[in-house]
Amino acid sequence: MDNNNNNKNINNNESNNNKDNLCDIDDKNKIDDENVLYRLSLNPNKGGLQNVDKEKINKIIYEVSKGSAFFKNAKEKEKAHFEKIKEIKKKYLFLKNQPMEYEKQQMKNIMNKMESDRDLSQYIVHVDMDAFYASVEELDNPELKNKPMAVGSKSMLSTANYEARKYGVRSAMPGYIALKLCKNLIIVPTRFERYHELSHQIRNIIANYDPDYCPASIDEVYLNITNFLNDNPNYTPSKVTEELREEIYKQTRLTASAGIAPNICSDMNKPNGQTELKNCTDEILKFLKDLPIGKVSGIGKVAEKTLNELGIKTCGELKENMVYIKELFKPSSYQFLLSASLGLGRTKIENKWKRKSISVERTFSNTSEIQKLEDKLHEISCKLANDVKKENLKGKSVTLKLKTSSFEILTRCLTISKYIYQQEDLYKVGKKVKFIYIIFF
DNA sequence: ATACATACC
DNA sequence: TACTGGTATGTAT
């Protein structure tokens, strides 16, 4: 959903006060609140909120959050990450002083090989609905259209309409903070059934262009229009995409944005409307050169910061530094970053999704009363048994997750010898999962 | 196999 | 008053 969009837009422009100077390791021994705010996507320096009084908004957000347990927890995590970064930086400085001639040549070979394997034959489109939940609510209640409105609750918002965004309200923001920013904000509760209904409708339209489309979330789909283009030679990729978006609008009165690219690097960024990246290596590399790494799907706040601290801010810089990345990161991270730096994604769209887990979680007010906790366990085991039954599933590994009042997450897992699916069994195993241990230690 | 962190929407 | 909920994957032990 647009969660991601908002976060990704808050990217690092010139605002980084760390100067990514590799010699200032010791100066940066302290974690200031600004770092924590960035971790929470609330960095006062970063934008993403056009035409708004950023300073005022960020001040309000900071004032509301700073003393909270939530903020403290984030600060602890930030500290831990900072220690990790220090280690990586040390190694990096060492490597920078090595000639690395052999490794550099090797990296060139690897990249050349990957470049020659690049598949430019496919046209992949990524379709993403605009402010989906909020747009659906406006659709069903047009009175909301010109008023600041968000979908969710006082605890958490899923998405906000554009009117609300003017005030700095956005997805993944607690509703009570949003209300501080915009006291007239209307908060509408979620209606998942309705969103799913429309999601279905939209997918049916998309199926006309690629019956093997792949849903990425409730409001996002990948499709391969190569066959459609072959069957309809009078179309261009952007014409297909335009028509597809128009068709969605005609049938649902909802708008969508889309990216067109030769592989799934189209999930790198999604501005409004549609953007086409031509099936041409030079175009791709040009596009990537100045693309902030944080825009890459799969690089979140933490990885972005780690790389930024190494002086790597764009995919172009990432590509130049891959020799070092190979040494500094674990193999799978290295592989991922290498592909990202070259703008290589999957060229095939697989929609044979198989679920690997199913879960239910609920947040409740602080308590250490054993009875209340057991009641909660009962409640979630009922919901879980219900969901499991609906999908005709069974499993033999049960994980219990507990969030403390200080926002620490504890998990304990128990794998048993036979598959279970009934509520009573789920509850029993849930209780066995070192439950007492979690609570008291 | 288990615990925890990160990422995405 | 109040910072979600669901799924996947990576990393460390």
Side-chain angles (χ1 to χ4, degrees):
Chain A
M1 297 240 336
D2 45 308
N3 250 356
N4 181 34
N5 257 340
N6 287 340
N7 294 341
K8 298 289 184 192
N9 285 344
I10 306 183
N11 253 301
N12 271 351
N13 296 324
E14 57 286 275
S15 55
N16 202 327
N17 61 346
N18 301 330
K19 294 265 186 213
D20 51 74
N21 185 338
L22 292 170
C23 303
D24 63 357
I25 290 177
D26 293 327
D27 297 341
K28 294 195 67 276
N29 246 324
K30 92 181 195 329
I31 304 297
D32 53 31
D33 289 358
E34 223 166 272
N35 292 79
V36 183
L37 277 170
Y38 184 66
R39 169 177 278 265
L40 304 178
S41 294
L42 303 173
N43 188 304
N45 286 319
K46 318 276 156 115
L49 315 164
Q50 334 69 315
N51 309 320
V52 295
D53 189 346
K54 287 179 201 167
E55 218 158 284
K56 191 178 152 199
I57 290 168
N58 290 318
K59 200 172 170 229
I60 295 172
I61 295 174
Y62 180 57
E63 289 304 319
V64 181
S65 335
K66 68 176 178 191
S68 68
F70 184 81
F71 194 93
K72 261 179 221 144
N73 178 256
K75 198 161 182 165
E76 288 306 308
K77 284 190 176 155
E78 185 64 18
K79 264 186 204 161
H81 183 221
F82 181 69
E83 291 304 314
K84 249 188 192 164
I85 289 178
K86 263 202 327 205
E87 289 305 305
I88 295 176
K89 267 188 170 180
K90 255 185 227 164
K91 278 190 203 165
Y92 185 57
L93 283 175
F94 172 79
L95 291 174
K96 275 274 180 185
N97 286 321
Q98 304 297 115
M100 308 274 285
E101 294 303 337
Y102 174 74
E103 287 82 356
K104 282 177 187 169
Q105 187 53 50
Q106 207 180 22
M107 183 55 66
K108 260 186 208 162
N109 296 341
I110 292 171
M111 284 181 171
N112 285 338
K113 171 79 172 74
M114 288 175 82
E115 194 53 67
S116 65
D117 287 345
R118 189 192 287 276
D119 184 355
L120 294 169
S121 67
Q122 304 299 302
Y123 292 86
I124 311 294
V125 179
H126 177 235
V127 181
D128 186 15
M129 300 305 295
D130 298 327
F132 188 50
Y133 294 179
S135 302
V136 173
E137 294 304 331
E138 287 179 359
L139 183 72
D140 291 351
N141 183 2
E143 273 191 23
L144 296 170
K145 254 187 182 163
N146 297 310
K147 298 172 185 161
M149 181 267 292
V151 178
S153 70
K154 284 193 179 176
S155 297
M156 184 51 65
L157 302 179
S158 296
T159 187
N161 71 1
Y162 286 93
E163 199 52 41
R165 290 181 194 197
K166 289 182 189 164
Y167 295 84
V169 177
R170 53 180 198 268
S171 0
M173 176 182 275
Y176 69 93
I177 293 180
L179 282 166
K180 298 264 186 214
L181 295 171
C182 171
K183 65 177 193 308
N184 295 323
L185 182 71
I186 301 170
I187 298 181
V188 179
T190 46
R191 293 183 301 147
F192 285 108
E193 273 177 31
R194 179 71 176 127
Y195 311 144
H196 279 289
E197 204 178 292
L198 282 155
S199 176
H200 245 98
Q201 221 178 313
I202 292 159
R203 287 176 191 184
N204 284 339
I205 298 166
I206 286 171
N208 294 329
Y209 298 85
D210 175 12
D212 295 321
Y213 71 87
C214 174
S217 73
I218 188 167
D219 75 327
E220 252 185 310
V221 159
Y222 287 102
L223 68 157
N224 187 335
I225 56 169
T226 315
N227 284 340
F228 184 92
L229 286 164
N230 287 335
D231 297 343
N232 302 273
N234 50 331
Y235 276 89
T236 61
S238 37
K239 205 177 148 197
V240 177
T241 308
E242 227 161 80
E243 186 184 289
L244 165 58
R245 289 170 51 230
E246 254 167 46
E247 207 51 45
I248 291 175
Y249 184 72
K250 256 194 232 159
Q251 294 189 31
T252 66
R253 311 314 276 181
L254 296 168
T255 62
S257 298
I260 310 161
N263 53 42
I264 304 199
C265 73
S266 62
D267 61 8
M268 293 229 168
N269 195 12
K270 307 157 281 200
N272 287 330
Q274 62 183 60
T275 323
E276 185 182 8
L277 189 51
K278 291 278 191 299
N279 286 20
C280 150
T281 302
D282 288 347
E283 283 273 332
I284 297 165
L285 294 181
K286 204 173 97 191
F287 171 77
L288 286 173
K289 192 170 173 294
D290 298 314
L291 185 75
I293 45 162
K295 295 255 180 190
V296 178
S297 177
I299 298 183
K301 293 269 143 43
V302 176
E304 179 192 32
K305 180 149 191 201
T306 308
L307 290 164
N308 280 177
E309 288 293 317
L310 301 178
I312 297 168
K313 303 216 159 158
T314 63
C315 291
E317 288 163 352
L318 180 61
K319 190 179 169 207
E320 297 311 309
N321 283 281
M322 278 312 299
V323 205
Y324 305 108
I325 299 293
K326 189 169 190 273
E327 307 298 320
L328 297 171
F329 289 71
K330 298 285 167 240
S332 72
S333 306
Y334 151 71
Q335 284 297 341
F336 168 74
L337 292 171
L338 178 58
S339 297
S341 76
L342 295 170
L344 292 166
R346 292 161 296 164
T347 317
K348 289 205 175 72
I349 293 188
E350 296 281 349
N351 67 351
K352 290 169 215 105
W353 179 78
K354 270 264 179 286
R355 87 155 60 242
K356 296 176 185 67
S357 68
I358 185 162
S359 64
V360 172
E361 60 182 73
R362 290 287 173 268
T363 301
F364 49 91
S365 49
N366 296 338
T367 182
S368 48
E369 278 175 59
I370 215 76
Q371 189 55 53
K372 284 193 179 161
L373 294 167
E374 284 187 359
D375 289 348
K376 279 293 163 192
L377 179 61
H378 186 261
E379 187 189 321
I380 59 174
S381 68
C382 288
K383 172 78 163 55
L384 184 59
N386 210 342
D387 294 354
V388 161
K389 199 175 166 188
K390 252 189 258 168
E391 301 224 22
N392 206 7
L393 298 166
K394 50 191 178 173
K396 53 178 181 175
S397 196
V398 176
T399 298
L400 191 65
K401 173 174 160 181
L402 193 80
K403 180 159 67 189
T404 70
S405 54
S406 51
F407 291 90
E408 275 175 302
I409 307 286
L410 305 170
T411 63
R412 293 294 180 273
C413 174
L414 181 62
T415 303
I416 51 179
S417 53
K418 60 170 190 172
Y419 286 95
I420 57 168
Y421 55 92
Q422 282 173 331
Q423 185 271 330
E424 292 79 7
D425 292 331
L426 290 169
Y427 180 71
K428 253 190 261 166
V429 178
K431 265 184 96 161
K432 263 198 214 164
V433 182
K434 299 185 197 163
F435 191 46
I436 301 300
Y437 174 87
I438 290 193
I439 296 169
F440 293 112
F441 299 95

